mmCIF file of all heavy atoms in Angstrom:
data_model
loop_
_atom_site.group_PDB
_atom_site.id
_atom_site.type_symbol
_atom_site.label_atom_id
_atom_site.label_comp_id
_atom_site.label_asym_id
_atom_site.label_seq_id
_atom_site.Cartn_x
_atom_site.Cartn_y
_atom_site.Cartn_z
ATOM 1 N N GLY S 395 14.510 7.601 -2.175
ATOM 2 C CA GLY S 395 13.262 7.063 -2.736
ATOM 3 C C GLY S 395 12.288 6.314 -1.887
ATOM 4 O O GLY S 395 11.205 6.033 -2.325
ATOM 5 N N ALA S 396 12.633 5.973 -0.624
ATOM 6 C CA ALA S 396 11.767 5.244 0.172
ATOM 7 C C ALA S 396 10.351 5.958 0.306
ATOM 8 O O ALA S 396 10.323 7.207 0.426
ATOM 9 C CB ALA S 396 12.356 5.141 1.564
ATOM 10 N N GLY S 397 9.264 5.302 0.113
ATOM 11 C CA GLY S 397 7.949 5.887 0.079
ATOM 12 C C GLY S 397 7.235 6.020 1.395
ATOM 13 O O GLY S 397 6.179 6.579 1.445
ATOM 14 N N GLU S 398 7.902 5.362 2.472
ATOM 15 C CA GLU S 398 7.312 5.313 3.740
ATOM 16 C C GLU S 398 8.350 5.035 4.755
ATOM 17 O O GLU S 398 9.273 4.272 4.401
ATOM 18 C CB GLU S 398 6.286 4.156 3.664
ATOM 19 C CG GLU S 398 5.046 4.347 4.554
ATOM 20 C CD GLU S 398 3.935 3.316 4.254
ATOM 21 O OE1 GLU S 398 4.063 2.574 3.370
ATOM 22 O OE2 GLU S 398 3.015 3.353 4.906
ATOM 23 N N ILE S 399 8.169 5.498 5.925
ATOM 24 C CA ILE S 399 9.132 5.149 7.090
ATOM 25 C C ILE S 399 8.230 4.394 8.096
ATOM 26 O O ILE S 399 7.337 4.866 8.595
ATOM 27 C CB ILE S 399 9.626 6.410 7.688
ATOM 28 C CG1 ILE S 399 10.424 7.293 6.636
ATOM 29 C CG2 ILE S 399 10.691 6.014 8.873
ATOM 30 C CD1 ILE S 399 11.691 6.770 6.221
ATOM 31 N N LEU S 400 8.846 3.248 8.493
ATOM 32 C CA LEU S 400 8.266 2.492 9.617
ATOM 33 C C LEU S 400 9.199 2.621 10.741
ATOM 34 O O LEU S 400 10.413 2.061 10.800
ATOM 35 C CB LEU S 400 8.192 0.996 9.275
ATOM 36 C CG LEU S 400 7.813 0.055 10.302
ATOM 37 C CD1 LEU S 400 6.611 0.485 11.158
ATOM 38 C CD2 LEU S 400 7.660 -1.383 9.788
ATOM 39 N N LEU S 401 8.861 3.401 11.764
ATOM 40 C CA LEU S 401 9.774 3.859 12.747
ATOM 41 C C LEU S 401 9.447 3.063 14.059
ATOM 42 O O LEU S 401 8.488 3.325 14.728
ATOM 43 C CB LEU S 401 9.618 5.354 12.999
ATOM 44 C CG LEU S 401 10.536 5.999 13.918
ATOM 45 C CD1 LEU S 401 12.006 6.064 13.503
ATOM 46 C CD2 LEU S 401 10.025 7.430 14.416
ATOM 47 N N THR S 402 10.400 2.251 14.482
ATOM 48 C CA THR S 402 10.227 1.478 15.804
ATOM 49 C C THR S 402 11.122 1.910 16.832
ATOM 50 O O THR S 402 12.426 1.995 16.541
ATOM 51 C CB THR S 402 10.469 0.007 15.503
ATOM 52 O OG1 THR S 402 9.564 -0.417 14.430
ATOM 53 C CG2 THR S 402 10.179 -0.805 16.756
ATOM 54 N N SER S 403 10.615 2.289 17.931
ATOM 55 C CA SER S 403 11.495 2.694 19.001
ATOM 56 C C SER S 403 11.743 1.365 19.864
ATOM 57 O O SER S 403 10.845 0.801 20.388
ATOM 58 C CB SER S 403 10.712 3.583 19.948
ATOM 59 O OG SER S 403 11.362 3.653 21.293
ATOM 60 N N MET S 404 12.984 1.018 19.949
ATOM 61 C CA MET S 404 13.378 -0.167 20.688
ATOM 62 C C MET S 404 13.151 0.023 22.205
ATOM 63 O O MET S 404 12.975 -0.903 22.940
ATOM 64 C CB MET S 404 14.861 -0.539 20.387
ATOM 65 C CG MET S 404 15.081 -0.879 19.032
ATOM 66 S SD MET S 404 16.811 -1.110 18.555
ATOM 67 C CE MET S 404 17.355 -2.303 19.675
ATOM 68 N N ASN S 405 13.237 1.217 22.678
ATOM 69 C CA ASN S 405 13.036 1.416 24.162
ATOM 70 C C ASN S 405 11.541 1.224 24.442
ATOM 71 O O ASN S 405 11.334 0.701 25.547
ATOM 72 C CB ASN S 405 13.240 2.986 24.362
ATOM 73 C CG ASN S 405 14.679 3.405 24.102
ATOM 74 O OD1 ASN S 405 15.004 3.518 22.944
ATOM 75 N ND2 ASN S 405 15.458 3.549 25.081
#
Side-chain angles (χ1 to χ4, degrees):
Chain S
E398 209 170 357
I399 303 282
L400 168 54
L401 183 71
T402 303
S403 160
M404 294 171 59
N405 300 74

